[in-house]
Amino acid sequence: MKLKIICGQLEITPGRPDVNYKKIIDAIEKARSLEADILLLPEMALPGYLIGDIWEQQTFLDDCAYYAEKIVTATKNICVIFGSVATEPGKLNEDGRVRKYNAAFACQNGKLLGGYQGRSFFIKTSLPNYREFDDCRHFYSLQKLCAEEGASVSEALQPLEIVIRGTSLRIGIMLCEDGWTENYHLNVPQTLAANGAQLLCNLSCSPYTLGKNRKRNRLFSAQARTAGIPLIYCNNVGIQNNGKNIFTYDGCTSAYNGDGSLVTSAPMYADTFLEFTWDTEANCIIPTCPPAELPKEPESVYRALRYGTAKFLQQCGIKRMTVGLSGGIDSAVTAVMYADILGPENILLLNLPSRFNSAATRNSAQQLAQALGANYAVMPISESYELTVKQLEQTPITHLADGSSFNLQLSGLIKENIQARDRGARVIAAASAAFGGAFSCNSNKAELAIGYATFYGDICGAMAMIGDLWKHQVYALGRYLNEVIYKREVIPEAIFNIRPSAELSDAQTVGNGGDPLVYGYHDYLLRAFIENWHKTTPADILRWYKAGTLAAELGCTQEAINEACPDAVALIADLERWWKLFAGFAVAKRIQAPPVLSLTKRAFGYDHREAQLTPYFSREYYELKEELLKQAIYPAEEKHDFKYFSSAS
């Protein structure tokens, strides 16, 4: 028998079961008109997934149950399998809250089908509790339920038994993490196959990450091949957030045959159907279209940023954006992206020079604004900056206990930060309010990593669009915008070639000093601290350096390491400088930073959980440091600077 299966790769709106219900009903009607036998829908298709503690609102749970019942009644002449939350009245979790399950509901001809131990739903077995996921806070797993009831999980994982056109079929239903079985003691797909499943169906709500689709394909291909039966992966599109991170959901719904081959897939970020035929006798998937091509960097970065930012602005009702345009690559890419999304007529670009800003960066900013055709203004801050300095230094401070007085003395660092705050908190924020909409945070991931930003200055904004991109990725995206999206030089070539600099003092200009980071090395050093699954520490860096494998471990060139750190003494000084910032005061800045649009394996925010602590160096680090310093040979008069850079606070 040949059955038509449709996967509904729908855009899910988190926290809006009313909106998602209407989409699901429309999908059922369309699938029925296409004569589908089975319609698969994503995990948590009805409530959405990342909704915080809304899961604890009883009225919200009641609405989810109400709409789920209405979906069941709409399944005449079609089988629909969808994800939602299930509750169990009378049962409580350990914290005393109502028992909830991340569940799948299977229904046909107005009736619910199957479930565990008389329940009318299938329960997620493996609850993720890493990265942005916090399922154990809200949901009860099948494993915990079986332990509570003294049952075997392997026996509880039974396929759905369904009859279509007189033929009985057995479908193994999984929910997202149930398929990511590499490190779990129980392999859910293989258990379902061993229990008689003819087809495996994974309903997912899986966010996009750079390179994740390659891992998905390897994983699901291996599962299908090991089980020897077809596997379907049904994912949603849209955005969801947890307050600190904005995640895009790329869809990429796919089907695999029992030999592990990927036979068909849906395009990224498309709210669409993926149709194919299941030949139950040959037990194979017959595709109607080939697998969609997956983009490589920087196209994948561009698509994720554009899609996620556009959806987030739409969600927040933001139709206009103000961007501080410095003449550097970060603000240039941010401005061009917003113009691409909202249209240049809805972008206000502000160049806010002080006496430290070069003619080169000011000219580049104007050229970019002109190339875009955006709204543009130059608003110098020298006068207001000098007034603030004068106020602070010349206003006496009275000690009221004894009547004595003193005056504040402003360091160079304080004066630099006054400029940054004047630009952000005073001019850009006020201009944004007058222009309408919001203003941007232009910080990249390297700057966020070491706190190279100013409290209430350049670390403010509605969102950090490029906050999960390293500097080299920002440059690559800028080239892509010029060459592929705009097909002309909207970002002037001078911006790619000029030395990055905050331009906040005579010692920190594009011609003298510049940024304190050698991005060809430090991007990769800092990335190792954050994105490596087993977190890299200073001890790892010294161990790799000693073994001569540091470049290979970090993924950078040896030339970049040599440029930043010509010898062991310099490398240790440099390492301690950045580690103390990364693990120290920069944490406070990241906590207060805007939400980041997440693209990598670990983005700052809720995806990278951290506490404000004293920077720590392990015993192994000190042993390696002592050994390397003893081996170092350098002139006695040579000095190595262990000081922090000037814009740390």
Side-chain angles (χ1 to χ4, degrees):
M1 182 171 65
K2 292 181 172 60
L3 301 180
K4 177 183 270 193
I5 297 179
I6 289 179
C7 291
Q9 184 173 284
L10 307 184
E11 180 180 341
I12 302 303
T13 304
R16 292 299 304 269
D18 54 338
V19 172
N20 296 327
Y21 161 72
K22 292 176 182 177
K23 270 195 90 78
I24 291 170
I25 292 299
D26 288 344
I28 292 172
E29 292 175 355
K30 182 179 177 182
R32 188 161 36 226
S33 71
L34 294 171
E35 299 182 340
D37 296 290
I38 300 173
L39 172 64
L40 298 175
L41 297 170
E43 175 188 31
M44 290 297 181
L46 187 56
Y49 193 11
L50 298 181
I51 60 175
D53 281 354
I54 289 176
W55 288 121
E56 311 309 330
Q57 296 177 4
Q58 186 59 50
T59 53
F60 180 83
L61 298 176
D62 291 343
D63 278 0
C64 290
Y66 169 79
Y67 289 117
E69 289 177 6
K70 290 177 71 67
I71 291 169
V72 173
T73 62
T75 57
K76 183 180 179 181
N77 297 327
I78 191 171
C79 172
V80 178
I81 304 173
F82 68 97
S84 187
V85 60
T87 60
E88 203 159 9
K91 287 201 172 187
L92 300 176
N93 292 338
E94 294 95 331
D95 60 4
R97 300 188 216 190
V98 64
R99 175 74 56 83
K100 298 178 289 296
Y101 302 102
N102 184 333
F105 295 82
C107 43
Q108 182 185 39
N109 292 322
K111 295 181 180 180
L112 285 165
L113 309 171
Y116 168 66
Q117 294 286 69
R119 294 168 176 85
S120 57
F121 47 84
F122 296 83
I123 302 169
K124 191 171 183 177
T125 303
S126 307
L127 299 184
N129 208 37
Y130 55 86
R131 290 198 61 198
E132 68 272 17
F133 302 111
D134 203 9
D135 280 32
C136 293
R137 178 179 176 87
H138 304 294
F139 307 117
Y140 215 68
S141 70
L142 180 63
Q143 294 190 62
K144 289 183 71 173
L145 182 62
C146 286
E148 179 184 283
E149 297 183 349
S152 163
V153 182
S154 296
E155 292 179 5
L157 280 168
Q158 294 297 323
L160 164 70
E161 295 191 19
I162 182 173
V163 176
I164 298 178
R165 287 188 250 143
T167 300
S168 179
L169 304 165
R170 293 169 65 82
I171 298 174
I173 298 176
M174 303 178 284
L175 285 156
C176 203
E177 186 77 2
D178 291 343
W180 296 76
T181 55
E182 292 174 318
N183 298 308
Y184 287 93
H185 73 277
L186 180 74
N187 190 305
V188 174
Q190 305 312 319
T191 302
L192 286 166
N195 288 343
Q198 300 164 265
L199 176 72
L200 296 171
C201 296
N202 186 306
L203 311 187
S204 281
C205 183
S206 181
Y208 167 81
T209 300
L210 282 168
K212 188 174 183 179
N213 275 304
R214 290 192 296 272
K215 185 172 182 178
R216 284 173 182 161
N217 284 336
R218 287 196 304 270
L219 180 74
F220 293 130
S221 173
Q223 288 177 356
R225 185 168 55 251
T226 303
I229 57 176
L231 184 150
I232 300 168
Y233 164 74
C234 181
N235 195 23
N236 64 292
V237 295
I239 64 164
Q240 304 195 36
N241 75 84
N242 54 23
K244 290 296 288 183
N245 298 97
I246 303 158
F247 298 96
T248 66
Y249 289 77
D250 58 338
C252 293
T253 295
S254 308
Y256 303 80
N257 266 327
D259 61 359
S261 59
L262 172 65
V263 293
T264 185
S265 66
M268 293 179 72
Y269 298 119
D271 187 334
T272 188
F273 276 1
L274 179 66
E275 302 178 37
F276 47 86
T277 298
W278 177 26
D279 185 333
T280 60
E281 293 181 8
N283 204 14
C284 68
I285 299 297
I286 303 171
T288 57
C289 64
E293 188 175 349
L294 293 174
K296 299 177 181 178
E297 286 192 60
E299 181 187 354
S300 57
V301 170
Y302 166 76
R303 291 182 63 181
L305 281 181
R306 194 189 191 288
Y307 180 84
T309 302
K311 292 293 181 183
F312 183 73
L313 297 178
Q314 182 182 16
Q315 186 181 76
C316 298
I318 298 172
K319 298 178 180 179
R320 287 182 151 195
M321 184 62 65
T322 298
V323 181
L325 193 65
S326 68
I329 189 65
D330 296 324
S331 64
V333 166
T334 302
V336 172
M337 285 293 300
Y338 278 120
D340 181 38
I341 294 165
L342 295 173
E345 70 278 7
N346 294 311
I347 306 301
L348 173 59
L349 304 177
L350 297 178
N351 185 247
L352 308 164
S354 70
R355 70 178 182 84
F356 304 112
N357 291 89
S358 67
T361 54
R362 283 181 284 172
N363 290 340
S364 293
Q366 179 146 356
Q367 289 170 22
L368 185 147
Q370 198 159 11
L372 284 177
N375 304 288
Y376 181 66
V378 178
M379 297 184 182
I381 64 165
S382 294
E383 187 177 349
S384 58
Y385 159 67
E386 290 166 5
L387 174 62
T388 302
V389 170
K390 182 179 178 181
Q391 256 188 327
L392 290 170
E393 289 189 332
Q394 296 185 13
T395 302
I397 309 295
T398 303
H399 181 50
L400 297 178
D402 60 12
S404 61
S405 66
F406 62 94
N407 286 74
L408 297 173
Q409 299 297 315
L410 304 185
S411 67
L413 175 59
I414 294 172
K415 291 178 180 179
E416 291 175 18
N417 288 327
I418 288 171
Q419 296 170 70
R421 291 191 183 98
D422 197 38
R423 287 175 174 137
R426 186 178 72 87
V427 182
I428 296 176
S432 172
F435 183 65
F439 63 99
S440 69
C441 173
N442 303 337
S443 295
N444 62 56
K445 196 167 188 176
E447 292 171 344
L448 290 172
I450 58 170
Y452 191 42
T454 302
F455 267 133
Y456 321 120
D458 49 358
I459 207 168
C460 296
M463 67 178 291
M465 180 201 290
I466 62 169
D468 201 20
L469 290 182
W470 299 103
K471 193 77 166 186
H472 66 276
Q473 293 175 305
V474 179
Y475 277 112
L477 178 58
R479 292 288 186 194
Y480 182 82
L481 288 166
N482 274 1
E483 296 166 8
V484 178
I485 303 304
Y486 284 82
K487 295 181 171 59
R488 57 190 175 90
E489 192 179 278
V490 288
I491 301 176
E493 185 63 24
I495 289 179
F496 292 100
N497 298 326
I498 202 165
R499 181 171 183 173
S501 175
E503 295 191 298
L504 293 171
S505 70
D506 287 325
Q508 196 182 48
T509 66
V510 293
N512 178 23
D515 283 357
L517 293 166
V518 178
Y519 291 104
Y521 167 57
H522 290 121
D523 266 1
Y524 298 89
L525 173 70
L526 298 168
R527 184 180 70 176
F529 293 160
I530 302 154
E531 295 181 19
N532 285 358
W533 195 246
H534 299 287
K535 299 288 191 183
T536 298
T537 68
D540 297 309
I541 300 301
L542 293 193
R543 191 185 323 110
W544 296 335
Y545 179 80
K546 178 184 174 185
T549 61
L550 182 57
E553 292 285 357
L554 296 182
C556 66
T557 65
Q558 186 61 48
E559 290 74 19
I561 297 175
N562 295 342
E563 179 187 354
C565 310
D567 57 30
V569 178
L571 183 129
I572 290 169
D574 180 85
L575 178 59
E576 292 190 2
R577 177 188 193 185
W578 302 125
W579 179 259
K580 288 174 182 177
L581 286 169
F582 167 74
F585 193 51
V587 177
K589 294 184 180 182
R590 292 195 289 269
I591 290 171
Q592 296 192 45
V596 172
L597 203 158
S598 300
L599 299 174
T600 67
K601 291 185 290 185
R602 284 288 179 92
F604 287 125
Y606 200 70
D607 191 9
H608 175 80
R609 305 184 194 189
E610 51 191 346
Q612 291 183 244
L613 306 170
T614 304
Y616 176 73
F617 294 87
S618 66
R619 291 179 297 107
E620 183 188 7
Y621 175 79
Y622 285 116
E623 291 169 0
L624 287 165
K625 175 182 176 180
E626 183 178 4
E627 181 182 350
L628 288 169
L629 291 179
K630 280 181 179 179
Q631 294 173 356
I633 300 175
Y634 56 91
E637 67 273 16
E638 186 175 345
K639 297 183 184 298
H640 296 273
D641 185 5
F642 283 79
K643 295 186 294 182
Y644 294 114
F645 61 87
S646 61
S647 292
S649 300

